[in-house]
Amino acid sequence: MSSPTPSPILISDVQQTVARELRRIAPIIDELGARFNEAGHQLALVGGPVRDAMLGRLQTDLDFTTSAHPDVTEKLLKGWADAIWDMGRDFGTIGCRKGEWQVEITTYRSEAYDPDSRKPEVAYGDSLVGDLGRRDFTVNSMALTVPDRGFEDPFGGIVDLASRVLRTPGRPEDSFSDDPLRMMRAARFAAQLGFDVAPEVVAAMTEMAGRIEIISAERVRDELVKLICAPFPRRGLLLLVETGLASYVLPELPALALERDEHHRHKDVYEHTLIVLEQSIDQEQRLGGPDFISRFAALMHDVGKPKTRRFESGGVVTFHHHDVVGAKITAKRMRALRFSNDEIDAVSKLVELHLRFHGYGEGEWTDSAVRRYVRDAGDQLERLHILTRADCTTRNQRKANRLRAAYDDLEARIERLSEEEELASIRPDLDGTQIMEILGIPPGREVGEAYRFLLELRMDEGPKSAEAAREALLEWWAARP
Ligand code: ATP
Ligand code: MG
């Protein structure tokens, strides 16, 4: 089971890692640095890529900060970059591509956050150190000037990186009041990097959690998605819940910590959920890598439980229809977070179907039930397999083995049926034109009814010859009132 712990960071390793990463990006930073310097401007690699070069996780995104204003930056990039685009001139950022490298160059900032507005108000700054002081965390406030390769670290980011801790360059209260999104970013980086958050930062997050409400849903969502797709999502989620931020951005999660009844008659749904998330991550190779839909479905699969919990006589606790109720709650939350309709449909479908398999028992499903399972899951079938398997957190090994074997059996049956029939795209044996021809009717409501009858028949009895389908259709037609 994953609940991975990050490995320690040694400064001697950092040195070697940085040297290796610098050799890799040397052509880019040397050329670009020289271009800016010749024009009388300063340029520095900054933030994410400096941090990631030290952690050996540098990808192909290179962020720079510069004394040049955006129009000058754009001129300096012309003739060098393969493509140039405006990332939002108001924010002072110009983007470009050079070979495999995605480059973003932002003018020095000294930005203040207007508490009445949802957008940071940007003012250009005039120094590198000033720009670094405006950044979110010390590990993101390091820079490498180019082409001379001077290391700027005015807030001790390298020490915090070695001790794996997120700290703000100034007082966390001031930083979060300038931009409350940084509280979400703390949780996101904790999840991505496996770092701890400094106690004074956690305290400020706890104190100021409610301020997150001035941030747009889209910006909150983007941080949440990154957190959930990170290598250590449990860390980020615990932090959101512990600080109270989750009560604003994902209240369904803390609600899962149902106060336990005195006899401990049911499991802690919150802890169960985190384990289901980790067990679904363990199966992600089936999907080719980190998958937000699958992870979020795991996180939301039981959110219908608090609302449906009933204490029956004899000390029994039930959660009837928590799948259907949970799917609705999930869709509502995802709409509030401005997810796309496709994402909302996918996750809420998985939540709704996560219990369906439990009627399977010892494999007594009919072919018809198997077909319906496949049809209802549609393009979420692979994720439904993962979620259903992950949803078994019993410590009773015999029970766990029995469930796994039953699901193996179901998947084998699906595969067998799929070979015989094209399960994924079940259609009736006759199409609309044939129906009209056989029944001698014009287009209209009755054709639709006949089509649905044939589809149900196809589900129940499997494929038929055209002749057999024709007979069944006529029989149904004759028996209609
Ligand atoms: P990644 O790109 O891997 O998600 P990153 O560290 O590059 O991580 P970005 O969101 O791309 O993060 O931001 C780039 C840099 O800009 C950060 O490293 C940080 O220095 C700074 N930054 C971004 N957003 C903020 C913010 N809201 N407040 C302060 N500084 C920020
Ligand atoms: Mg970045």
Coordinates of all heavy atoms in Angstrom, one line a residue, residues 136-198:
D136 N 6.1 33.2 -2.9 CA 5.3 32.5 -1.9 C 6.1 31.8 -0.8 O 5.9 32.0 0.4 CB 4.3 31.5 -2.5 CG 4.9 30.6 -3.6 OD1 6.2 30.6 -3.8 OD2 4.2 29.8 -4.2
F137 N 7.1 31.0 -1.2 CA 7.9 30.2 -0.2 C 9.4 30.4 -0.4 O 9.8 30.6 -1.6 CB 7.5 28.7 -0.2 CG 6.0 28.6 0.0 CD1 5.1 28.3 -1.0 CD2 5.5 28.9 1.3 CE1 3.8 28.2 -0.8 CE2 4.1 28.8 1.5 CZ 3.2 28.5 0.4
T138 N 10.2 30.2 0.6 CA 11.6 30.5 0.5 C 12.2 29.5 -0.6 O 13.1 29.9 -1.3 CB 12.3 30.3 1.8 OG1 12.2 28.9 2.3 CG2 11.8 31.3 2.9
V139 N 11.7 28.3 -0.6 CA 12.3 27.3 -1.6 C 11.9 27.8 -3.1 O 12.5 27.3 -4.0 CB 11.8 25.9 -1.4 CG1 12.4 25.3 -0.1 CG2 10.3 25.7 -1.5
N140 N 10.9 28.7 -3.2 CA 10.6 29.2 -4.5 C 11.2 30.6 -4.7 O 10.9 31.3 -5.7 CB 9.1 29.3 -4.7 CG 8.4 28.0 -4.8 OD1 9.1 27.0 -5.1 ND2 7.1 27.9 -4.5
S141 N 12.0 31.1 -3.7 CA 12.5 32.4 -3.8 C 14.0 32.4 -4.0 O 14.8 33.2 -3.5 CB 12.2 33.2 -2.5 OG 10.9 33.1 -2.2
M142 N 14.5 31.4 -4.8 CA 15.9 31.3 -5.1 C 16.0 31.6 -6.6 O 15.1 31.3 -7.4 CB 16.4 29.9 -4.8 CG 16.4 29.6 -3.3 SD 17.1 28.0 -3.0 CE 15.8 26.8 -3.4
A143 N 17.2 32.2 -7.0 CA 17.4 32.5 -8.4 C 18.8 32.3 -8.8 O 19.7 32.2 -8.0 CB 17.0 34.0 -8.7
L144 N 19.0 32.0 -10.1 CA 20.3 31.9 -10.6 C 20.5 32.9 -11.8 O 19.8 32.8 -12.8 CB 20.4 30.5 -11.2 CG 21.8 30.1 -11.7 CD1 22.7 29.7 -10.6 CD2 21.7 28.9 -12.7
T145 N 21.3 33.9 -11.5 CA 21.5 34.9 -12.6 C 22.2 34.3 -13.7 O 23.1 33.5 -13.6 CB 22.2 36.2 -12.0 OG1 23.5 35.8 -11.5 CG2 21.4 36.8 -10.9
V146 N 21.8 34.7 -14.9 CA 22.5 34.2 -16.1 C 22.9 35.4 -17.0 O 22.3 36.4 -17.0 CB 21.5 33.3 -16.9 CG1 21.3 32.0 -16.1 CG2 20.2 33.9 -17.3
P147 N 24.0 35.2 -17.8 CA 24.8 34.0 -17.9 C 25.9 33.8 -16.8 O 26.6 32.7 -16.9 CB 25.5 34.2 -19.3 CG 25.7 35.7 -19.4 CD 24.5 36.3 -18.6
D148 N 26.1 34.7 -15.9 CA 27.2 34.6 -15.0 C 26.9 33.5 -13.9 O 27.9 33.1 -13.2 CB 27.4 35.9 -14.3 CG 26.2 36.4 -13.5 OD1 25.1 36.4 -14.0 OD2 26.4 36.8 -12.3
R149 N 25.7 33.0 -13.7 CA 25.4 31.9 -12.8 C 25.7 32.3 -11.3 O 26.3 31.6 -10.6 CB 26.1 30.7 -13.1 CG 25.7 30.2 -14.5 CD 26.3 28.9 -14.8 NE 25.9 28.5 -16.2 CZ 26.3 27.4 -16.8 NH1 26.9 26.5 -16.1 NH2 25.9 27.1 -18.0
G150 N 25.2 33.5 -10.9 CA 25.3 33.8 -9.5 C 24.1 33.3 -8.8 O 23.0 33.4 -9.3
F151 N 24.3 32.7 -7.6 CA 23.2 32.1 -6.9 C 22.6 33.2 -5.9 O 23.3 33.7 -5.0 CB 23.7 30.9 -6.1 CG 22.6 30.2 -5.4 CD1 21.4 29.8 -6.0 CD2 22.8 29.9 -4.0 CE1 20.4 29.2 -5.2 CE2 21.8 29.2 -3.3 CZ 20.6 28.9 -3.9
E152 N 21.3 33.5 -6.0 CA 20.7 34.5 -5.1 C 19.7 33.7 -4.3 O 18.8 33.1 -4.8 CB 19.9 35.5 -6.0 CG 20.7 36.5 -6.7 CD 21.4 37.5 -5.7 OE1 20.9 37.6 -4.5 OE2 22.3 38.2 -6.2
D153 N 19.9 33.8 -3.0 CA 19.0 33.1 -2.0 C 18.9 33.9 -0.8 O 19.3 33.6 0.3 CB 19.6 31.7 -1.7 CG 18.8 30.9 -0.8 OD1 17.5 31.2 -0.6 OD2 19.3 30.0 -0.2
P154 N 18.2 35.1 -0.9 CA 18.2 36.0 0.3 C 17.4 35.5 1.5 O 17.5 36.1 2.6 CB 17.5 37.3 -0.3 CG 16.8 36.8 -1.6 CD 17.5 35.6 -2.1
F155 N 16.6 34.5 1.3 CA 15.7 34.0 2.5 C 16.1 32.6 3.0 O 15.3 32.0 3.7 CB 14.2 34.1 2.1 CG 13.9 35.5 1.5 CD1 13.7 35.7 0.2 CD2 13.7 36.5 2.4 CE1 13.4 37.0 -0.3 CE2 13.4 37.8 2.0 CZ 13.3 38.0 0.6
G156 N 17.2 32.1 2.6 CA 17.6 30.8 3.1 C 16.8 29.7 2.5 O 16.6 28.7 3.2
G157 N 16.5 29.8 1.3 CA 15.7 28.7 0.7 C 16.4 27.4 0.6 O 15.8 26.3 0.8
I158 N 17.7 27.4 0.4 CA 18.5 26.2 0.3 C 18.5 25.4 1.6 O 18.4 24.1 1.6 CB 19.9 26.4 -0.3 CG1 20.5 25.0 -0.7 CG2 20.8 27.0 0.7 CD1 21.7 25.1 -1.6
V159 N 18.5 26.1 2.7 CA 18.5 25.5 4.0 C 17.1 24.8 4.2 O 17.0 23.7 4.7 CB 18.7 26.5 5.2 CG1 18.6 25.8 6.5 CG2 20.1 27.1 5.0
D160 N 16.0 25.6 3.9 CA 14.7 25.0 4.0 C 14.5 23.8 3.1 O 13.8 22.9 3.4 CB 13.6 26.1 3.7 CG 13.6 27.1 4.9 OD1 14.0 26.8 6.0 OD2 13.1 28.3 4.6
L161 N 15.1 23.9 1.9 CA 15.0 22.8 1.0 C 15.6 21.5 1.5 O 15.0 20.4 1.5 CB 15.6 23.2 -0.4 CG 15.5 22.1 -1.5 CD1 15.0 22.7 -2.8 CD2 16.9 21.5 -1.8
A162 N 16.8 21.7 2.1 CA 17.5 20.6 2.7 C 16.7 20.0 3.9 O 16.8 18.8 4.1 CB 18.9 21.0 3.1
S163 N 16.1 20.9 4.6 CA 15.3 20.3 5.7 C 13.8 20.1 5.4 O 13.0 19.8 6.2 CB 15.4 21.2 7.0 OG 15.3 22.5 6.7
R164 N 13.6 20.2 4.1 CA 12.2 19.8 3.5 C 11.1 20.6 4.2 O 10.2 20.0 4.7 CB 11.9 18.3 3.7 CG 12.8 17.4 2.9 CD 12.2 16.0 3.0 NE 12.8 15.2 1.9 CZ 12.4 15.2 0.7 NH1 11.4 16.0 0.3 NH2 12.9 14.5 -0.2
V165 N 11.2 21.9 4.2 CA 10.2 22.7 4.9 C 9.8 23.9 4.1 O 10.6 24.5 3.4 CB 10.7 23.1 6.4 CG1 11.9 24.0 6.3 CG2 9.5 23.7 7.1
L166 N 8.5 24.2 4.1 CA 7.9 25.3 3.4 C 7.8 26.4 4.4 O 7.1 26.3 5.4 CB 6.6 25.0 2.8 CG 6.6 24.0 1.7 CD1 5.2 23.4 1.4 CD2 7.2 24.6 0.4
R167 N 8.4 27.6 4.1 CA 8.4 28.7 5.0 C 8.2 29.9 4.1 O 8.6 29.9 2.9 CB 9.8 28.8 5.7 CG 9.8 29.5 7.0 CD 11.3 29.6 7.5 NE 11.9 28.3 7.8 CZ 11.6 27.6 8.9 NH1 10.8 28.0 9.8 NH2 12.2 26.4 9.1
T168 N 7.5 31.0 4.5 CA 7.3 32.2 3.7 C 8.5 33.1 3.9 O 9.1 33.1 5.0 CB 6.1 32.9 4.1 OG1 6.0 33.1 5.5 CG2 4.8 32.1 3.7
P169 N 8.9 33.9 2.9 CA 10.0 34.8 3.0 C 9.8 35.8 4.1 O 10.7 36.1 4.9 CB 10.1 35.5 1.7 CG 9.4 34.6 0.7 CD 8.3 33.9 1.5
G170 N 8.6 36.3 4.2 CA 8.3 37.3 5.3 C 7.4 36.7 6.3 O 7.3 35.4 6.4
R171 N 6.6 37.5 7.0 CA 5.6 36.9 8.0 C 4.5 36.2 7.2 O 4.0 36.8 6.2 CB 5.0 38.0 8.8 CG 5.9 38.6 9.9 CD 5.3 39.6 10.8 NE 3.9 40.0 10.4 CZ 2.8 39.8 11.2 NH1 3.0 39.2 12.4 NH2 1.6 40.2 10.8
P172 N 4.1 35.0 7.5 CA 3.1 34.3 6.7 C 1.8 35.1 6.7 O 1.1 35.1 5.7 CB 3.0 32.9 7.4 CG 3.7 33.0 8.7 CD 4.7 34.1 8.6
E173 N 1.4 35.7 7.8 CA 0.2 36.5 7.8 C 0.2 37.6 6.7 O -0.9 37.8 6.1 CB 0.0 37.2 9.2 CG -0.3 36.3 10.4 CD 1.0 35.7 10.9 OE1 2.1 36.1 10.4 OE2 1.0 34.8 11.8
D174 N 1.3 38.2 6.6 CA 1.4 39.3 5.5 C 1.3 38.7 4.2 O 0.6 39.2 3.3 CB 2.7 40.1 5.6 CG 2.8 40.8 7.0 OD1 1.7 41.0 7.6 OD2 3.9 41.1 7.4
S175 N 2.0 37.6 4.0 CA 2.0 36.9 2.7 C 0.6 36.4 2.3 O 0.1 36.7 1.2 CB 3.0 35.7 2.7 OG 2.9 35.0 1.5
F176 N -0.1 35.8 3.2 CA -1.4 35.2 2.9 C -2.5 36.4 2.8 O -3.5 36.2 2.1 CB -1.8 34.2 4.0 CG -0.9 33.0 4.0 CD1 -0.8 32.2 5.2 CD2 -0.2 32.7 2.9 CE1 0.0 31.1 5.2 CE2 0.7 31.6 2.9 CZ 0.8 30.8 4.1
S177 N -2.2 37.5 3.5 CA -3.2 38.5 3.3 C -3.0 39.2 1.9 O -3.9 39.7 1.3 CB -3.2 39.4 4.6 OG -3.0 40.7 4.3
D178 N -1.7 39.2 1.4 CA -1.5 39.7 0.1 C -2.1 38.8 -1.0 O -2.7 39.3 -2.0 CB 0.0 39.7 -0.3 CG 0.7 41.0 0.3 OD1 0.0 41.9 0.8 OD2 1.9 41.0 0.3
D179 N -2.1 37.5 -0.8 CA -2.6 36.5 -1.7 C -3.0 35.2 -1.0 O -2.2 34.4 -0.8 CB -1.6 36.3 -2.8 CG -2.2 35.3 -3.9 OD1 -3.4 34.9 -3.7 OD2 -1.5 35.0 -4.8
P180 N -4.3 35.1 -0.6 CA -4.7 33.9 0.2 C -4.5 32.6 -0.6 O -4.5 31.6 0.0 CB -6.2 34.2 0.4 CG -6.4 35.7 0.3 CD -5.4 36.1 -0.8
L181 N -4.4 32.7 -1.9 CA -4.2 31.4 -2.7 C -2.9 30.7 -2.2 O -2.8 29.5 -2.3 CB -4.1 31.7 -4.2 CG -4.0 30.4 -5.0 CD1 -5.3 29.7 -5.0 CD2 -3.6 30.8 -6.5
R182 N -2.0 31.5 -1.7 CA -0.7 30.9 -1.2 C -1.0 29.8 -0.1 O -0.1 28.9 0.1 CB 0.2 32.0 -0.7 CG 0.7 32.9 -1.8 CD 1.5 34.1 -1.2 NE 1.8 35.0 -2.3 CZ 2.1 36.3 -2.1 NH1 2.2 36.8 -0.9 NH2 2.4 37.0 -3.2
M183 N -2.1 29.9 0.6 CA -2.4 28.9 1.6 C -2.6 27.6 0.9 O -2.2 26.5 1.4 CB -3.6 29.3 2.4 CG -3.4 30.6 3.2 SD -4.7 31.0 4.4 CE -6.0 31.6 3.3
M184 N -3.4 27.6 -0.2 CA -3.6 26.4 -1.0 C -2.3 25.9 -1.6 O -2.0 24.7 -1.7 CB -4.6 26.7 -2.2 CG -6.0 26.9 -1.8 SD -6.8 25.5 -1.1 CE -6.7 24.3 -2.4
R185 N -1.5 26.8 -2.0 CA -0.2 26.5 -2.6 C 0.7 25.8 -1.6 O 1.5 24.9 -1.9 CB 0.5 27.7 -3.2 CG -0.2 28.2 -4.5 CD 0.4 29.5 -5.0 NE 1.8 29.4 -5.4 CZ 2.2 29.0 -6.6 NH1 1.4 28.6 -7.6 NH2 3.5 29.0 -6.9
A186 N 0.6 26.2 -0.3 CA 1.4 25.5 0.7 C 1.0 24.0 0.7 O 1.9 23.1 0.8 CB 1.2 26.1 2.1
A187 N -0.3 23.7 0.7 CA -0.7 22.4 0.8 C -0.3 21.6 -0.5 O 0.1 20.5 -0.5 CB -2.3 22.3 1.0
R188 N -0.4 22.3 -1.6 CA -0.1 21.7 -2.9 C 1.4 21.3 -3.0 O 1.8 20.2 -3.4 CB -0.4 22.7 -4.0 CG -0.2 22.1 -5.4 CD 1.1 22.6 -6.1 NE 0.9 23.9 -6.7 CZ 1.7 24.3 -7.7 NH1 2.7 23.6 -8.1 NH2 1.5 25.5 -8.2
F189 N 2.3 22.2 -2.5 CA 3.7 21.9 -2.5 C 4.1 20.8 -1.5 O 4.9 20.0 -1.7 CB 4.6 23.2 -2.3 CG 4.6 24.1 -3.5 CD1 4.1 25.4 -3.5 CD2 5.2 23.6 -4.7 CE1 4.2 26.2 -4.6 CE2 5.2 24.4 -5.9 CZ 4.7 25.7 -5.8
A190 N 3.4 20.8 -0.4 CA 3.6 19.8 0.6 C 3.3 18.4 -0.1 O 4.0 17.4 0.1 CB 2.7 19.9 1.8
A191 N 2.2 18.4 -0.9 CA 1.9 17.1 -1.6 C 2.8 16.8 -2.7 O 3.1 15.6 -3.0 CB 0.4 17.3 -2.1
Q192 N 3.3 17.8 -3.4 CA 4.1 17.6 -4.6 C 5.6 17.2 -4.2 O 6.2 16.4 -4.8 CB 4.2 18.8 -5.5 CG 3.0 19.0 -6.4 CD 3.2 20.1 -7.4 OE1 3.8 21.1 -7.1 NE2 2.6 20.0 -8.6
L193 N 6.1 17.9 -3.2 CA 7.5 17.8 -2.8 C 7.7 16.9 -1.6 O 8.8 16.4 -1.3 CB 8.1 19.2 -2.5 CG 7.9 20.2 -3.6 CD1 8.4 21.6 -3.1 CD2 8.7 19.9 -4.9
G194 N 6.6 16.6 -0.9 CA 6.7 15.8 0.3 C 7.3 16.6 1.4 O 7.9 16.0 2.3
F195 N 7.2 17.9 1.4 CA 7.8 18.8 2.4 C 6.8 19.0 3.6 O 5.6 18.8 3.4 CB 8.1 20.1 1.8 CG 9.4 20.2 1.0 CD1 9.9 19.0 0.5 CD2 10.0 21.4 0.8 CE1 11.1 19.1 -0.3 CE2 11.2 21.5 0.1 CZ 11.7 20.3 -0.5
D196 N 7.4 19.4 4.8 CA 6.5 19.8 5.9 C 6.2 21.3 5.7 O 7.0 22.0 5.0 CB 7.2 19.6 7.2 CG 7.4 18.1 7.5 OD1 6.4 17.4 7.2 OD2 8.4 17.7 8.1
V197 N 5.2 21.8 6.4 CA 4.9 23.2 6.4 C 5.3 23.7 7.7 O 5.0 23.1 8.8 CB 3.4 23.4 6.1 CG1 3.1 24.9 6.1 CG2 3.1 22.9 4.7
A198 N 6.1 24.8 7.8 CA 6.6 25.3 9.1 C 5.4 25.6 10.0 O 4.4 26.1 9.5 CB 7.4 26.6 8.8

